[in-house]
């Protein structure tokens, strides 16, 4: 695995939070053993968000009888008057709580057990309503400091009232010193999400946003369930404390029914930037979603969260692919090795030129492959279709089966598919898709970043998919045309 996808050496990574100071990034994350809940908070450091060095355990689960003797939960970190404050959660006897630890150097932490935030107030659930909910929600703090010196805490909770399968709330508390907190009403209550996990509240260019994560195991079916049943979403607000509303296209990064690819999206400010922020999340290793309590992952590659008109989007971070893949090559016409179907009598033509390949398929899906096998790498291809669908093939074993990225113009979406040889050309089986407005005669730049077992897809520098795949991704690279006519550039490869 390429080093950029940080995984702790001795255990598994789950929820993450970043703190930056003097050009050094400090990553804190839950540490969990396979099949168990988190027992510690780990610490790693990086200068470039790509290469990480472990700095040891920051905190461990408390002794029996202490408030944090149960599974530890997601945290956040801030600095005030030279002291670092880490807010983190723990579950004990079906009640979640938020506690504090302090440090002078980010390495040695001291817990403050006398100051623990517990579920309270007339607005929030304070007891388990039904056995289908494992504990009272009170977790995942986010801290925002105002110019007036107030600290606002936003966290995952549940409202006392509303649709039982919804009621997911963004709780709110305020403090002047980060120690004593006043609990306030929630700033948002959902009618379709049972939990809005790991909230992050921030301002971009004078507008307020709140991103959160939600899995299909604790939400109702949404209109975008097929491609965004689980993942990272956002709300739009009129001020720091709302009111907030969910836009019609709220999914930033999602996975379809039965899948989970990315989770716990959070941000940091970028120096000198008012319309964008640094965005990070963690990748989820391939696993059946029915085992969601045992999911593990890696820290993702960094991304840019940008305000484009009225909507948030994710874009590639500073050509990071060139920083992790130092070598490059461009495939040429002499690297073409195989095609399927093989005969032009099928109505399929691949016409190699010096700088591009013209493809024609009267019907069905056809492919052409190059002789250079690839493993972890970044691939770039420019595609311009006049009709039909087209895309990239990768990870093919002896030209028999692999994966495909398909620009589906008829359904106006981009697809990640299993692709395999069939009796009349190639056939496909859907893994994941994302809607995207596509136009014939327009050239699109496809950038596919492969770091097994994860693939990230960018179209014209906008992130479309970040998804794990089962099976080997190593193999032959190729191009695909479906019932159409198009022009493809020869692939550029970083490795």
């Amino acid at each position: 695995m390429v080093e950029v996808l940080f995984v702790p050496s001795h255990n598994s990574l789950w929820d993450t939070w970043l703190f930056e100071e003097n050009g050094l990034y400090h990553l804190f994350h839950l540490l969990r053993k396979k099949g168990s809940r988190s027992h510690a908070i780990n610490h790693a450091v990086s200068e470039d968000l790509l290469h990480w060095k472990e700095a040891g355990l920051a905190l461990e689960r408390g002794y029996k009888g202490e408030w944090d003797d149960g599974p530890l939960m997601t945290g956040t970190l801030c600095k005030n008057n030279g002291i670092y404050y880490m807010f983190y959660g723990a579950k004990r006897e079906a009640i979640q709580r938020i506690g504090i630890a302090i440090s002078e150097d980010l390495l040695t932490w001291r817990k403050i057990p006398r100051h623990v935030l517990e579920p309270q107030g007339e607005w929030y659930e304070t007891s388990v309503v039904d056995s289908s909910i494992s504990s009272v929600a009170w977790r995942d703090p986010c801290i925002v400091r105002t110019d007036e010196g107030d600290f606002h805490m936003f966290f995952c909770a549940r409202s006392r009232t509303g649709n039982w399968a919804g009621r997911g709330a963004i709780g709110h508390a305020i403090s002047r010193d980060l120690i004593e907190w006043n609990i306030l009403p929630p700033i948002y209550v959902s009618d379709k999400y049972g939990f809005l996990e790991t909230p992050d509240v921030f301002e971009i260019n004078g507008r307020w946003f709140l991103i959160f994560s939600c899995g299909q195991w604790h939400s109702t079916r949404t209109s975008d369930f097929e491609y965004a049943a689980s993942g990272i979403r956002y709300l739009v607000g009129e001020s720091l404390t709302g009111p907030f509303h969910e836009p019609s296209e709220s999914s930033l990064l999602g996975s379809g029914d039965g899948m989970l690819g990315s989770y716990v999206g959070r941000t940091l400010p970028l120096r000198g930037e008012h319309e964008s922020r640094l965005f990070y999340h963690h990748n989820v290793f391939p696993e059946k979603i029915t085992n969601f309590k045992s999911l593990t992952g890696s820290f993702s590659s960094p991304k840019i969260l940008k305000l484009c008109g009225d909507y948030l989007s994710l874009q590639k971070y500073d050509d990071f692919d060139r920083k992790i893949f130092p070598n490059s090559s461009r495939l040429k016409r002499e690297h073409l090795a195989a095609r399927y179907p093989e005969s032009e009598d099928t109505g399929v033509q691949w016409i190699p030129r010096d700088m591009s390949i013209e493809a024609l398929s009267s019907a069905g899906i056809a492919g052409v492959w190059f002789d250079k096998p690839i493993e972890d790498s970044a691939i770039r291809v420019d595609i311009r279709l006049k009709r039909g669908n087209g895309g990239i093939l990768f990870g093919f074993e002896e030209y028999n089966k692999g994966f495909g990225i398909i620009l589906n113009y008829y359904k106006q979406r981009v697809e990640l598919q299993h692709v395999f040889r069939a009796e009349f050309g190639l056939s496909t089986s859907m893994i994941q898709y994302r809607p995207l407005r596509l136009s014939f005669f327009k050239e699109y730049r496809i950038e596919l970043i492969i770091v097994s077992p994860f693939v990230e897809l960018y179209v014209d520098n906008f992130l479309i998919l970040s998804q794990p795949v089962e099976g080997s991704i190593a193999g032959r690279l190729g191009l695909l045309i479906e019932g159409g006519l198009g022009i493809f550039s020869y692939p550029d490869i970083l490795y």
Side-chain angles (χ1 to χ4, degrees):
M1 178 180 293
V2 174
E3 188 179 5
V4 63
L5 297 184
F6 170 71
V7 179
S9 59
H10 56 292
N11 251 304
S12 299
L13 173 148
W14 200 232
D15 291 6
T16 55
W17 55 101
L18 270 182
F19 179 79
E20 185 272 335
E21 187 172 58
N22 299 323
L24 189 64
Y25 292 93
H26 296 264
L27 171 66
F28 295 89
H29 65 87
L30 298 181
L31 203 59
R32 64 193 301 180
K33 297 177 181 178
K34 184 70 173 177
S36 68
R37 307 302 285 172
S38 302
H39 66 282
I41 295 172
N42 198 39
H43 181 195
V45 295
S46 173
E47 294 180 350
D48 60 4
L49 294 167
L50 300 174
H51 305 92
W52 294 91
K53 180 180 179 180
E54 293 192 62
L57 295 181
L59 291 173
E60 294 186 80
R61 183 182 297 183
Y63 294 108
K64 187 174 182 179
E66 296 181 329
W67 79 270
D68 59 352
D69 65 356
L72 299 186
M73 311 188 87
T74 314
T76 193
L77 196 149
C78 61
K79 186 178 182 180
N80 188 41
N81 295 327
I83 302 296
Y84 302 96
Y85 293 76
M86 184 187 295
F87 294 83
Y88 67 102
K91 183 176 76 171
R92 184 170 186 264
E93 297 177 350
I95 302 292
Q96 298 174 9
R97 300 170 177 86
I98 298 172
I100 311 170
I102 62 173
S103 174
E104 295 180 356
D105 60 4
L106 291 169
L107 298 174
T108 302
W109 293 89
R110 177 170 60 88
K111 298 177 182 180
I112 307 179
R114 297 186 305 276
H115 297 276
V116 177
L117 281 75
E118 301 195 15
Q120 57 185 281
E122 60 187 284
W123 311 284
Y124 301 100
E125 283 186 0
T126 56
S127 61
V128 176
V129 175
D130 182 83
S131 61
S132 63
I133 303 174
S134 63
S135 57
V136 177
W138 201 262
R139 63 179 184 269
D140 305 345
C142 160
I143 306 291
V144 179
R145 186 175 189 175
T146 66
D147 293 337
E148 294 74 28
D150 292 323
F151 295 94
H152 291 260
M153 178 188 292
F154 304 101
F155 53 92
C156 172
R158 278 178 58 82
S159 170
R160 278 185 182 269
T161 60
N163 169 23
W164 170 77
R167 290 197 197 177
I170 300 296
H172 184 205
I174 192 169
S175 172
R176 293 290 295 183
D177 60 5
L178 292 170
I179 299 295
E180 301 293 340
W181 292 87
N182 181 28
I183 305 298
L184 298 174
I187 63 168
Y188 181 79
V189 177
S190 172
D191 62 355
K192 57 186 176 182
Y193 306 118
F195 298 121
L196 290 82
E197 297 193 292
T198 59
D200 186 32
V201 182
F202 52 88
E203 183 184 16
I204 295 183
N205 202 24
R207 301 179 63 180
W208 287 93
F209 298 91
L210 187 157
I211 60 177
F212 65 95
S213 293
C214 189
Q216 72 177 91
W217 55 91
H218 48 52
S219 66
T220 58
R221 287 178 176 265
T222 56
S223 59
D224 55 6
F225 193 80
E226 283 190 352
Y227 63 88
S230 301
I232 302 160
R233 296 180 178 272
Y234 73 97
L235 309 174
V236 181
E238 296 181 12
S239 71
L240 170 64
T241 56
F244 283 87
H245 73 274
E246 183 177 8
S248 57
E249 298 290 339
S250 68
S251 173
L252 270 177
L253 199 54
S255 297
D257 186 8
M259 305 183 69
L260 182 60
S262 304
Y263 214 65
V264 186
R266 287 181 158 184
T267 69
L268 285 178
L270 289 168
R271 289 190 180 92
E273 289 286 343
H274 301 289
E275 295 186 1
S276 58
R277 291 175 69 87
L278 172 70
F279 179 88
Y280 62 95
H281 62 96
H282 64 247
N283 300 308
V284 183
F285 288 123
E287 176 66 274
K288 292 181 179 179
I289 202 167
T290 52
N291 301 330
F292 66 88
K293 291 186 178 181
S294 298
L295 296 173
T296 58
S298 74
F299 189 66
S300 72
S301 60
K303 298 164 181 68
I304 298 296
L305 179 73
K306 193 173 183 64
L307 178 61
C308 297
D310 293 330
Y311 297 95
L312 294 179
S313 65
L314 296 173
Q315 300 183 18
K316 197 167 72 169
Y317 176 81
D318 291 346
D319 288 330
F320 80 93
D321 49 347
R322 297 184 179 275
K323 298 177 183 178
I324 60 175
F325 297 119
N327 303 304
S328 64
S329 67
R330 169 169 256 204
L331 300 183
K332 301 177 182 179
R333 61 192 300 172
E334 53 263 34
H335 292 111
L336 291 169
R339 52 184 285 173
Y340 187 77
E342 298 174 356
S343 172
E344 291 190 0
D345 292 339
T346 60
V348 175
Q349 296 184 56
W350 294 94
I351 306 171
R353 314 284 189 190
D354 288 339
M355 301 299 295
S356 62
I357 304 174
E358 187 171 345
L360 171 65
S361 171
S362 58
I365 304 176
V368 65
W369 291 268
F370 298 90
D371 61 5
K372 184 178 177 64
I374 61 166
E375 296 183 3
D376 288 354
S377 58
I379 302 158
R380 185 178 68 194
V381 175
D382 296 329
I383 300 176
R384 181 164 62 91
L385 292 182
K386 299 177 181 179
R387 64 176 185 271
N389 301 322
I392 302 173
L393 301 170
F394 65 98
F396 263 74
E397 303 173 7
E398 299 300 325
Y399 316 114
N400 289 320
K401 62 179 181 178
F403 304 93
I405 297 295
I406 301 176
L407 302 185
N408 190 324
Y409 288 71
Y410 296 119
K411 293 193 175 182
Q412 292 291 289
R413 66 191 192 188
V414 181
E415 302 166 345
L416 170 61
Q417 298 262 20
H418 288 291
V419 182
F420 52 92
R421 287 173 69 125
E423 291 187 337
F424 297 96
L426 300 173
S427 191
T428 63
S429 173
M430 182 71 72
I431 301 175
Q432 171 70 4
Y433 75 88
R434 186 85 177 180
L436 183 67
R437 187 179 298 277
L438 298 167
S439 301
F440 289 122
F441 299 98
K442 178 181 177 180
E443 184 173 86
Y444 293 96
R445 171 153 292 180
I446 310 301
E447 294 179 274
L448 179 65
I449 299 170
I450 303 173
V451 181
S452 182
F454 303 104
V455 296
E456 288 190 350
L457 172 67
Y458 294 84
V459 176
D460 290 344
N461 210 44
F462 288 90
L463 180 66
I464 304 298
L465 300 172
S466 181
Q467 189 72 34
V469 296
E470 295 188 79
S472 174
I473 307 179
R476 303 288 181 178
L477 175 67
L479 304 172
L480 172 149
I481 187 74
E482 179 183 13
L485 173 66
I487 299 173
F488 302 76
S489 69
Y490 290 103
D492 288 308
I493 302 175
L494 302 177
Y495 60 96

